[in-house]
Amino acid sequence: MADVPKIVIRRLASRAAQAGKPELHPDANLLTAFAEQSLGSHDRLQVLDHLAQCFECREIVSLAVPELVDAKVVPRSVSAPWLSWPVLRWGAAIACVVVVGAAVALREREAREVRSVEKGAAAVGALPASSPQREAAQSVGSSMASGSTGNIELAQQAPSQKAMTTPIPGSKAEAGAQVEVEGAAQAAKPSERKAAVADLMARAAKDSVIPGRAKDDLAEAQPSSGNSGMAGAVALASPAALVAASQLPRSSPMRVPRWTLSADGMLQRSLDMGRSWESITVSLEASLRALAANGFDIWVGGTAGALYHSEDAGEHWMKVQAIANGQPLTADIIGVEFPDPGHGRLNTASGEVWTTEDAGLTWQRQ
Amino acid sequence: MPVIPKKSAQAAAAPHAELERTVAELYAKSKAESLGLSREDFAGILGEIAAKHAPGASAKDLRAFCCSLRIEELALARACAAGHNQAWEAFLLRYRVKLFDIANYITKESSAGRELADSIYADLYGTSMRDGQRTSKLASYTGRGSLEGWLRTVMAQEHVNRYRRQRRLVSLDEESEEGAQFATPEREEVAVVDPRVEAATDEALAALSGEDRLVLAAYFLDGRTLAEIARTLGVHESTISRKLDKLAKSLRKNILANLSRRGMSRRQAQEALQVDVRDLRVSIRDRLTQENAHPSFSEKKAGTGEEPG
């Protein structure tokens, strides 16, 4: 700012002193109107002239001007707070668009996967029966077909398995418990069970268009030391093995199957998030009433104490006979709870409660 | 009884009817009836204000003037001044807290603010008597600005008056505590200035507008900031900054031109301006210690003799 000559300031002060105090002052109404910029031009000029020579009125006006006026008059570009209503409204709108877009994209992707799986199945079926490619595809153990074709195959597998009752060697004799295992002989082999799990994973995997990937997962899932026979079955039923098995799907893109019981006591499974269901024949005699699923570990209970257990997402089943103090469970099972693979609880129609703390090896009746 | 020609009687009745309609509209708008003011009282108040601020105005101008007033606040203030309880209840509900806020803002101190607010409240209620009647300060509100703004101004006036009175009544002990007795007497600077320079400067200053002189006085004499001046004039402070810059340049130029007209060469004139380099001490505060306040424009005109700020 350029300096005003000192003589100007001196003469300003001198003029003010010589003029003395003006005899007439604008009243409060005029000063208020001046401060609020509501005076007419004539009155405003009068007040300005007066203020130029009256220190006292300048002081009064300065005190009387509210700070609010300052905020109103000064056109300052104040940035709106980021969490204001317009921002929230637009944010909500954008969030809605993103959610809808994501849902549509997900649905599209799933539909594409289903189509690719169907194409794969058709391709396998179109191969000559003796062709090496078809053998390779069958050796993977996974029928790439989905939907009704797969359902029929699964439904036909389970009843074809012959029942086999095998007493568990002595270790649990002091508890007076016995476990009867019913199932196919190959179900006792952990490697085959895990192969079945991997097979299931391959069927349900999103990336099922690359069969080799399922095979790689299968190879990685193979344990280095193989167990055999009943020891293997017990080992697989142990909590550690169950945990290991339950970790399998976590490292793979497979979805955990969904389960339900039909009104006529049939177990049903869905590998595509409930869009389609396949019936799993667990027992021809019993009608199933309750189930408990924990990852790939599933328990189902039904009439006349029927209790079945699968550790490979329903590919293979073991019949478990719960016995406590030499008394087998014969009542209808109406409730099955397995909060973790080792601990379970059964509720019967007769009001009995059966519990296990070792994945069904021994039972206690309460 | 004089006989008025029919035509001129109609002409005289027309503005009167216009005013009647204006009064009726404003009376309804002001809600004065609910505050206890009759229509006659209200018309009297409007007439008094119009006579004071718009004397001799035409009917059209008078209507425009009346419509420009803060009519609702005017009715409230005058109803309070007339002592109507419902008006006081409305006033206190609306302005009681504001009174204390304004007082605190002006005094910058809570106890002084409360004292100022109490004092103003007493004046508003009317503790002084005139002709056996209680006179309220609210009776002087004319509605030309907002009632809240008027309260601010009235409180600012009272604050300045108090400051003056306190300065006058300050004790010798306080003066000595402030070191007044040890203060070296200020030496009056003997300014030897060419009278032509003074005359040229006075001429240049006289040519300025009131607003320009106000800006110069507020900035150089009062020591106000650009923001304070801008707030007073309702402009941005950058406008004041530019104005001061422009004023400094134009003043220098005009003074030099005036000096040239008074027979100085350009070099002499420039030297005359540069010679005066002494700092000027202007005791602004001393000017506050005035004995009496002076009547306002309108009050003087109205001849009421009431004490202004």
Side-chain angles (χ1 to χ4, degrees):
Chain A
M1 191 187 303
D3 287 334
V4 172
K6 298 285 190 214
I7 185 67
V8 172
I9 302 170
R10 291 190 62 186
R11 293 311 298 165
L12 266 177
S14 176
R15 282 161 61 93
Q18 283 170 7
K21 286 299 297 176
E23 289 192 358
L24 299 177
H25 292 267
D27 69 357
N29 290 291
L30 273 179
L31 289 179
T32 303
F34 173 81
E36 294 178 350
Q37 315 290 326
S38 59
L39 269 186
S41 58
H42 176 71
D43 287 340
R44 182 175 172 80
L45 286 176
Q46 266 196 319
V47 174
L48 279 171
D49 275 338
H50 176 83
L51 290 176
Q53 57 180 328
C54 180
F55 168 80
E56 197 175 309
C57 287
R58 287 200 297 271
E59 184 78 17
I60 289 169
V61 169
S62 176
L63 288 171
V65 174
E67 291 196 283
L68 190 62
V69 172
D70 184 31
K72 188 179 71 181
V73 168
V74 177
R76 200 168 290 165
S77 59
V78 180
S79 59
W82 70 272
L83 202 61
S84 59
W85 274 113
V87 173
L88 287 178
R89 280 201 296 271
W90 281 107
I94 291 169
C96 287
V97 169
V98 168
V99 167
V100 170
V104 168
L106 203 62
R107 199 174 176 83
E108 192 73 18
R109 190 175 170 189
E110 286 176 358
R112 204 165 49 240
E113 286 167 5
V114 169
R115 281 197 297 274
S116 65
V117 168
E118 285 172 350
K119 280 181 187 173
V124 170
L127 289 172
S130 59
S131 69
Q133 290 90 345
R134 178 161 188 164
E135 287 174 3
Q138 287 172 343
S139 70
V140 173
S142 62
S143 64
M144 297 300 290
S146 65
S148 60
T149 309
N151 292 346
I152 291 166
E153 285 180 6
L154 277 173
Q156 287 170 348
Q157 274 180 0
S160 67
Q161 295 166 351
K162 293 180 179 178
M164 185 180 73
T165 303
T166 309
I168 292 179
S171 62
K172 303 295 179 186
E174 54 270 31
Q178 285 184 334
V179 176
E180 293 180 355
V181 179
E182 177 180 329
Q186 64 269 27
K189 297 179 181 177
S191 61
E192 291 178 1
R193 290 189 176 195
K194 291 187 178 180
V197 170
D199 178 28
L200 194 65
M201 287 161 51
R203 288 176 56 198
K206 292 178 182 176
D207 299 329
S208 57
V209 288
I210 310 171
R213 182 164 181 173
K215 282 191 284 187
D216 291 344
D217 290 344
L218 177 64
E220 288 169 7
Q222 294 287 348
S224 57
S225 61
N227 294 322
S228 62
M230 196 52 58
V234 173
L236 188 61
S238 68
L242 288 169
V243 168
S246 67
Q247 284 173 345
L248 269 173
R250 287 187 199 130
S251 60
S252 68
M254 179 189 176
R255 290 178 186 151
V256 176
R258 291 186 177 183
W259 300 94
T260 187
L261 289 172
S262 66
D264 56 352
M266 287 289 290
L267 180 65
Q268 293 182 318
R269 179 179 66 182
S270 173
L271 298 175
D272 53 7
M273 305 296 289
R275 286 195 298 158
S276 62
W277 294 88
E278 56 187 351
S279 295
I280 307 291
T281 305
V282 179
S283 168
L284 294 175
E285 306 90 35
S287 176
L288 302 178
R289 298 279 179 83
L291 70 88
N294 194 354
F296 289 88
D297 195 77
I298 178 159
W299 292 79
V300 290
T303 52
L307 183 63
Y308 296 88
H309 179 211
S310 171
E311 297 167 347
D312 51 10
E315 291 299 299
H316 302 92
W317 291 92
M318 289 183 298
K319 180 175 183 182
V320 179
Q321 180 62 64
I323 301 173
N325 299 325
Q327 295 293 321
L329 170 61
T330 55
D332 291 350
I333 299 173
I334 58 170
V336 180
E337 294 174 30
F338 272 82
D340 62 67
H343 297 78
R345 173 191 173 100
L346 307 175
N347 293 309
T348 67
S350 59
E352 297 171 357
V353 176
W354 292 63
T355 58
T356 179
E357 295 179 350
D358 50 10
L361 290 178
T362 61
W363 293 88
Q364 292 81 40
R365 186 170 64 184
Q366 296 176 357
Chain B
M1 186 176 176
V3 178
I4 301 173
K6 194 175 179 183
K7 197 171 182 180
S8 60
Q10 282 176 344
H16 187 261
E18 175 80 13
L19 280 179
E20 279 294 314
R21 197 165 56 248
T22 303
V23 169
E25 282 174 20
L26 295 179
Y27 183 68
K29 185 182 170 188
S30 68
K31 300 169 187 169
E33 190 174 11
S34 64
L35 297 170
L37 275 184
S38 68
R39 185 170 164 172
E40 289 73 26
D41 292 340
F42 184 76
I45 292 165
L46 281 184
E48 169 208 325
I49 294 170
K52 192 172 175 181
H53 293 289
S58 65
K60 188 181 173 186
D61 291 343
L62 204 57
R63 176 181 168 79
F65 174 78
C66 290
C67 289
S68 72
L69 298 177
R70 304 271 189 146
I71 207 71
E72 194 180 346
E73 293 167 41
L74 174 65
L76 177 64
R78 293 306 181 96
C80 287
H84 296 294
N85 282 334
Q86 58 267 47
W88 271 109
E89 285 171 11
F91 178 83
L92 291 178
L93 189 67
R94 211 184 295 178
Y95 295 106
R96 188 173 183 278
V97 176
K98 284 181 181 173
L99 272 179
F100 287 96
D101 290 345
I102 293 168
N104 286 335
Y105 168 75
I106 288 173
T107 59
K108 309 282 188 289
E109 203 256 316
S110 61
S111 62
R114 177 166 287 277
E115 195 180 337
L116 177 64
D118 288 342
S119 165
I120 286 295
Y121 181 72
D123 286 346
L124 295 177
Y125 188 73
T127 51
S128 62
M129 304 290 284
R130 181 182 291 174
D131 300 332
Q133 285 193 333
R134 184 171 56 83
T135 57
S136 164
K137 202 172 185 65
L138 281 166
S140 62
Y141 175 66
T142 60
R144 299 199 70 183
S146 68
L147 184 53
E148 184 181 337
W150 181 82
L151 288 170
R152 279 180 178 276
T153 307
V154 165
M155 292 174 93
Q157 284 176 333
E158 176 63 21
H159 177 63
V160 170
N161 288 341
R162 279 166 173 250
Y163 183 81
R164 271 209 318 257
R165 285 197 294 270
Q166 282 174 1
R167 287 290 300 173
R168 220 171 45 228
L169 298 174
V170 69
S171 69
L172 287 176
D173 288 342
E174 288 176 6
E175 287 282 352
S176 63
E177 281 172 11
E178 291 173 4
Q181 70 185 76
F182 303 109
T184 306
E186 291 185 13
R187 183 170 56 86
E188 282 291 327
E189 293 194 39
V190 182
V192 183
V193 181
D194 191 328
R196 287 179 296 175
V197 177
E198 287 184 345
T201 306
D202 286 346
E203 190 181 341
L205 284 174
L208 295 177
S209 69
E211 185 172 319
D212 290 345
R213 281 185 284 117
L214 168 61
V215 171
L216 283 175
Y219 189 76
F220 290 110
L221 298 185
D222 303 352
R224 299 204 182 282
T225 63
L226 296 177
E228 286 172 336
I229 300 169
R231 205 179 53 171
T232 301
L233 293 175
V235 295
H236 195 270
E237 61 181 275
S238 62
T239 307
I240 302 299
S241 175
R242 284 195 299 273
K243 184 186 275 289
L244 279 170
D245 199 24
K246 192 176 166 187
L247 277 173
K249 287 176 184 168
S250 69
L251 274 173
R252 180 178 289 275
K253 183 180 167 188
N254 291 341
I255 292 170
L256 287 175
N258 292 341
L259 287 174
S260 296
R261 274 207 311 276
R262 283 172 171 78
M264 275 193 183
S265 68
R266 184 161 188 83
R267 187 175 175 181
Q268 281 178 320
Q270 283 178 340
E271 281 178 356
L273 282 182
Q274 286 168 359
V275 160
D276 193 272
V277 293
R278 292 159 297 195
D279 285 330
L280 180 71
R281 289 189 175 185
V282 181
S283 179
I284 304 297
R285 293 295 171 194
D286 285 349
R287 305 225 307 273
L288 271 175
T289 59
Q290 296 171 61
E291 294 301 319
N292 297 310
H294 297 277
S296 67
F297 291 167
S298 51
E299 283 160 351
K300 191 85 171 182
K301 284 176 192 168
T304 56
E306 199 174 322
E307 187 181 56

